[in-house]
């Protein structure tokens, strides 16, 4: 397995497929959806590679026929990383990092063990702060100050976040619910 394929598989292990949120998006009100899953999410688009079962060639399919789905060479998945306390970290900050003791686990070598944290000020937007990581954190291409070196950066739905070499899109609960409904089968 190539390093890129290995990284994609590792990242899949840390996120939840978008499809897992579709039933709740249909059955819950926006408020109930946010209460259940939290106020913010990181979305990651990834391609899962499959080896063709026939001759070694790429096959492009434009239909929805699942009968031969094993013949596909790639599928695009959206993985969702909820930003909420998971009981793994101590305190009121949502921690993000490579190791399993974080609330949000992003198992990529470019992500520090404890890379960043998110705080939820009362009545305000979620904020991101870099935890003095090795490879840095950016929001929309701008560096996020490290802890103790400036205020956190407010997050808005649609912001692009990068932790090390992994790029996510931040969305709030309402946007994730709408996205899940729009992509429901």
């Amino acid at each position: 397995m190539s390093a890129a394929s290995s990284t994609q598989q590792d990242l899949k292990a840390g996120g939840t497929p978008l499809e897992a949120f579709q039933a709740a998006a249909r059955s819950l009100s926006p408020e109930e959806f946010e209460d259940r899953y939290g106020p913010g999410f990181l979305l990651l688009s990834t391609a899962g590679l499959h080896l063709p079962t026939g001759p070694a060639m790429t096959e492009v399919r434009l239909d929805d026929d699942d009968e031969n789905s094993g013949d596909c060479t790639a599928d695009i998945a959206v993985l969702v990383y909820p930003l909420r306390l998971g009981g793994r970290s101590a305190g009121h900050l949502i921690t993000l990092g490579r190791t399993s003791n974080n609330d949000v686990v992003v198992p990529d070598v470019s992500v520090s063990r404890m890379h960043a944290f998110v705080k939820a000020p009362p009545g305000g937007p979620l904020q991101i702060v870099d935890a003095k990581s090795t490879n840095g954190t950016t929001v929309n291409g701008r560096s996020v100050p490290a802890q103790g070196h400036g205020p956190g950066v407010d997050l808005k739905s649609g912001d692009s976040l990068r932790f090390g070499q992994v790029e996510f899109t931040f969305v709030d609960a309402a946007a994730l619910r709408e996205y899940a409904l729009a992509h429901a089968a």
Side-chain angles (χ1 to χ4, degrees):
M1 183 181 299
S2 72
S5 296
S6 176
T7 297
Q8 288 173 350
Q9 292 303 321
D10 289 343
L11 288 170
K12 284 185 176 185
T16 303
L18 175 66
E19 294 80 14
F21 296 89
Q22 291 173 335
R26 283 191 292 271
S27 65
L28 299 175
S29 71
E31 295 79 18
E32 292 169 324
F33 188 87
E34 183 172 338
D35 286 345
R36 179 178 290 179
Y37 296 110
F41 305 85
L42 298 176
L43 304 182
L44 176 71
S45 295
T46 182
L49 299 178
H50 303 285
L51 295 176
T53 57
M57 61 185 273
T58 301
E59 177 181 339
V60 176
R61 296 182 35 176
L62 300 175
D63 62 9
D64 291 331
D65 180 17
D66 289 335
E67 181 177 291
N68 296 317
S69 63
D71 295 337
C72 295
T73 56
D75 62 62
I76 296 187
V78 174
L79 298 176
V80 180
Y81 293 74
L83 293 175
R84 66 181 310 162
L85 290 171
R88 296 178 185 158
S89 63
H92 65 285
L93 301 173
I94 302 164
T95 60
L96 182 140
R98 184 178 70 228
T99 59
S100 63
N101 62 329
N102 288 287
D103 296 307
V104 180
V105 178
V106 181
D108 184 83
V109 296
S110 70
V111 174
S112 294
R113 287 182 180 102
M114 204 316 218
H115 196 98
F117 58 88
V118 176
K119 48 187 180 175
L126 293 176
Q127 295 178 335
I128 186 96
V129 176
D130 186 79
K132 300 180 181 176
S133 66
T134 302
N135 293 319
T137 302
T138 65
V139 174
N140 299 324
R142 301 183 99 164
S143 291
V144 171
Q147 181 180 11
H149 296 281
V153 174
D154 290 349
L155 296 176
K156 298 180 303 305
S157 210
D159 281 347
S160 173
L161 279 78
R162 181 179 288 269
F163 306 99
Q165 297 301 311
V166 184
E167 189 161 341
F168 293 91
T169 301
F170 171 79
V171 294
D172 61 22
L176 177 66
R177 184 176 176 273
E178 291 301 317
Y179 187 71
L181 287 170
H183 291 84

